[in-house]
Amino acid sequence: MKITFSPAGLGTTPFLVIGSGIAGLYTALKLAEIANVTLITKEALEESNTSYAQGGIAVALSPADSPDLHYTDTIQAGAGLCLPPAVATLVHEGPERVQELIAWGVPFDADAGTLLMTREAAHSFPRVLHADGDASGREITKVLAQRVAGHPRITVKENHYAVALLTGEEGCYGAMVLDENGTRTSILAEATILATGGSGQIFTDTTNPAVATGDGLALAYLAGAPLADLEFVQFHPTALHLEGAPCFLITEAVRGEGGILRNQRGVRFMPSYHEQAELAPRDVVARSVWSEMEKTGTDHVYLDLSLLSTELIKSRFPNIYETCLSYGLDITKAPIPVAPAAHYMMGGIAIDLHGRTALPRLFACGEVANSGVHGANRLASNSLLDGLVFGYRIFRYLQNSPWQRPDLPPELAAVFPTETSPELLAADRSALKELASTHLGIIRREDALQNAQRQVAPASSATPIPLNRPYLELQNMRLLVRLMLDAALSRRESRGSHYRADYPDPDPAWAKRIVLSPTGVSFIPADQPFSWSW
Ligand code: SIN
């Protein structure tokens, strides 16, 4: 559904940032060096996927490490679909960005002034910085959120939900928003930055918080900006699977410190799947765990911490220790029951190396964006770095380009998703999650994908759609599931996190990206950067 209106009389903010994970907070702080920023976020400033990140931030800071090694590891994990210049940007610019966080006061764990670094899966070197043991995301968020909240050039609007991007002759002019009272308002901006994060909530089991409903992807798509790589969803191999407890992340760093995966019979299984055993790439470990669960007819495996001392468990993983204890599990004494859960969306809004989307004046960074940096399988702890590096790239682009304040067009448009009719929607959220989990999970098949596709065909209801957050979130999720099904059906091979039981091998002919936009599907070679003419 499209509505149009005249923007006459509405004020304009130079920069509008939507989202408050690491990408949104950091980009807002950098842009405030140039001009005023309005940052909107759908709940509290500190509520985002970033806040729940445990492992930390991968960066080649150790003198014995190098960005080139980090580059090689990232490319290898990405299963032939990483974009080399994007990865080079990430690993070479990453160290300076992380030094900036340190200068701003992020308390990364250190011993006598030397930063402590952990090795995580598919890294050839221990390069993951962490904070308060396993509360890295929370600690980073605290520092950034505090700086944002106290910044004289940043206006923060919590509990503001973006419902559509505003478009006109020259691209994007901001967003239509529901404020804390559910009242519709428009925020006009010279540049709009989407940093809305992930979409794990479309699955039943996810490590993501309730806010991760993929809104930014839907907003961008409906406004005309293409999305890429939507078939690639990363399932984390080890989420807590304990009766009565939430689906809580058990960081890969636990395996980095010596945790061992065992099946129901107590047998260590990872060495029979991959030479790097528990530290194989994440997609490999997730599929192996899944396969062991199938073989033994159970819904979990165990993460055995018996090689880790009690002292190490309590000091390195205080958050996991306390959380498990609160559900009656003492992990210094018993193994942790774990199962895979949806964790990270590799696909996203296609951006170039400046964070520009195809829609003029619309930028994106963080999990919602796709620069090609993660390929078909993101390397552990590269996501926080991605948010910083590409957020900075947006800042630098806007700082250096002869940025023209746009003349407001006589008419602006906002497009809303109409995936299903309001009458049919009532009990749809859990049904949608079931459908995505069953058909778009770790193992996929053509007939099941087609079956699911029939169930989420878009509606053509004439009934006006209600503009409220629960309804629009579900519409966004439903649109996203439909697009993910299209992409998963198209890719007739297995690569990275996308595993097709009916096409179990990688096919070199598929070294290309699937790009979806309202005008259709296109395929671009994996080594070809996105580039736009604006
Ligand atoms: C983890 O701590 O295992 C997750 C880190 C990440 O997603 O990169």
Side-chain angles (χ1 to χ4, degrees):
M1 186 187 84
K2 178 173 172 174
I3 62 173
T4 55
F5 66 99
S6 162
L10 291 172
T12 305
T13 183
F15 302 126
L16 171 63
V17 174
I18 306 176
S20 62
I22 190 169
L25 294 171
Y26 176 80
T27 309
L29 285 166
K30 295 308 294 182
L31 291 177
E33 293 176 20
I34 313 174
N36 288 343
V37 178
T38 298
L39 183 150
I40 66 166
T41 187
K42 73 198 245 196
E43 290 191 3
L45 192 58
E46 299 199 4
E47 183 62 3
S48 71
N49 255 351
T50 298
S51 282
Y52 297 84
Q54 294 180 3
I57 186 160
V59 62
L61 272 187
S62 159
D65 194 6
S66 76
D68 289 343
L69 280 177
H70 190 185
Y71 174 90
T72 305
D73 293 345
T74 302
I75 294 274
Q76 210 148 3
L81 225 56
C82 289
L83 180 68
V87 178
T89 301
L90 179 83
V91 299
H92 287 281
E93 297 186 11
E96 209 176 318
R97 302 284 73 75
V98 173
Q99 292 289 11
E100 197 171 13
L101 288 192
I102 294 170
W104 286 355
V106 174
F108 288 113
D109 295 332
D111 185 15
T114 303
L115 288 167
L116 296 174
M117 300 185 193
T118 295
R119 187 169 165 221
E120 285 185 2
H123 285 273
S124 57
F125 199 85
R127 64 167 70 93
V128 180
L129 299 188
H130 41 88
D132 193 16
D134 56 359
S136 310
R138 189 191 66 206
E139 293 303 307
I140 293 171
T141 302
K142 254 195 237 168
V143 170
L144 295 182
Q146 226 165 46
R147 292 179 84 89
V148 163
H151 201 295
R153 275 177 142 178
I154 304 178
T155 303
V156 175
K157 293 176 185 278
E158 295 182 312
N159 302 307
H160 278 60
Y161 179 58
V163 296
L165 293 174
L166 298 173
T167 55
E169 282 150 23
E170 280 183 60
C172 181
Y173 295 83
M176 187 173 282
V177 168
L178 295 181
D179 69 14
E180 62 270 66
N181 304 313
T183 305
R184 201 173 78 189
T185 78
S186 290
I187 301 179
L188 303 188
E190 294 167 27
T192 302
I193 295 90
L194 278 171
T196 49
S199 46
Q201 283 297 325
I202 66 170
F203 294 92
T204 48
D205 295 319
T206 178
T207 59
N208 293 186
V211 290
T213 52
D215 302 311
L217 294 163
L219 261 56
Y221 177 84
L222 292 169
L227 311 181
D229 293 340
L230 286 189
E231 65 277 35
F232 296 109
V233 178
Q234 185 163 73
F235 293 86
H236 199 288
T238 59
L240 180 64
H241 193 85
L242 185 64
E243 182 92 39
C247 182
F248 175 75
L249 179 65
I250 307 293
T251 174
E252 201 149 288
V254 172
R255 279 172 280 136
E257 298 286 355
I260 299 291
L261 284 165
R262 298 191 186 278
N263 66 18
Q264 288 289 322
R265 300 188 200 104
V267 177
R268 182 182 186 197
F269 55 86
M270 275 315 301
S272 63
Y273 287 94
H274 197 278
E275 61 194 7
Q276 288 174 283
E278 277 79 7
L279 293 183
R282 197 171 277 179
D283 60 311
V284 175
V285 183
R287 267 194 307 280
S288 309
V289 168
W290 188 261
S291 153
E292 288 298 309
M293 285 167 28
E294 294 258 285
K295 275 190 211 157
T296 54
T298 54
D299 58 6
H300 62 278
V301 296
Y302 289 102
L303 186 55
D304 171 6
L305 275 54
S306 56
L307 292 177
L308 284 68
S309 70
T310 296
E311 192 198 351
L312 179 73
I313 292 172
K314 287 186 180 173
S315 61
R316 182 68 183 79
F317 305 111
N319 182 30
I320 295 176
Y321 171 73
E322 291 295 342
T323 303
C324 289
L325 202 59
S326 72
Y327 291 98
L329 177 70
D330 183 347
I331 64 170
T332 65
K333 298 193 170 74
I336 312 176
V338 291
H343 182 60
Y344 187 87
M345 170 53 103
M346 261 85 68
I349 307 164
I351 56 165
D352 68 9
L353 296 183
H354 306 293
R356 301 186 306 172
T357 74
L359 186 65
R361 301 179 193 280
L362 178 67
F363 298 77
C365 55
E367 188 171 347
V368 76
N370 180 314
S371 64
V373 86
H374 303 305
N377 176 52
R378 177 176 62 86
L379 184 67
S381 291
N382 264 358
S383 52
L384 298 179
L385 194 67
D386 173 19
L388 293 177
V389 166
F390 286 91
Y392 184 84
R393 286 240 144 190
I394 294 171
F395 155 69
R396 216 175 53 189
Y397 176 85
L398 288 170
Q399 189 184 40
N400 293 339
S401 40
W403 187 245
Q404 295 280 317
R405 194 185 178 122
D407 289 330
L408 282 179
E411 191 174 83
L412 288 177
V415 180
F416 300 92
T418 43
E419 291 295 301
T420 190
S421 60
E423 320 80 74
L424 288 179
L425 205 61
D428 248 15
R429 196 167 181 126
S430 53
L432 183 69
K433 282 155 108 55
E434 275 301 329
L435 179 122
S437 304
T438 309
H439 303 299
L440 275 170
I442 293 180
I443 311 290
R444 301 164 174 183
R445 289 182 184 80
E446 181 120 347
D447 50 351
L449 291 166
Q450 281 169 340
N451 177 5
Q453 210 176 31
R454 281 190 289 276
Q455 296 180 54
V456 289
S460 53
S461 163
T463 321
I465 63 166
L467 283 186
N468 62 50
R469 179 174 150 187
Y471 179 79
L472 289 169
E473 273 185 351
L474 181 51
Q475 295 286 59
N476 290 340
M477 288 159 70
R478 201 173 150 114
L479 169 61
L480 191 50
V481 167
R482 186 162 63 77
L483 297 175
M484 289 164 69
L485 287 166
D486 291 349
L489 262 168
S490 291
R491 186 172 287 280
R492 291 187 162 150
E493 64 153 359
S494 291
R495 180 186 294 271
S497 69
H498 172 72
Y499 186 84
R500 287 277 303 254
D502 42 356
Y503 297 92
D505 298 312
D507 177 352
W510 266 105
K512 54 190 174 190
R513 252 170 248 296
I514 301 173
V515 183
L516 301 170
S517 74
T519 53
V521 186
S522 56
F523 301 91
I524 66 164
D527 59 358
Q528 183 183 308
F530 296 114
S531 76
W532 329 110
S533 53
W534 60 281

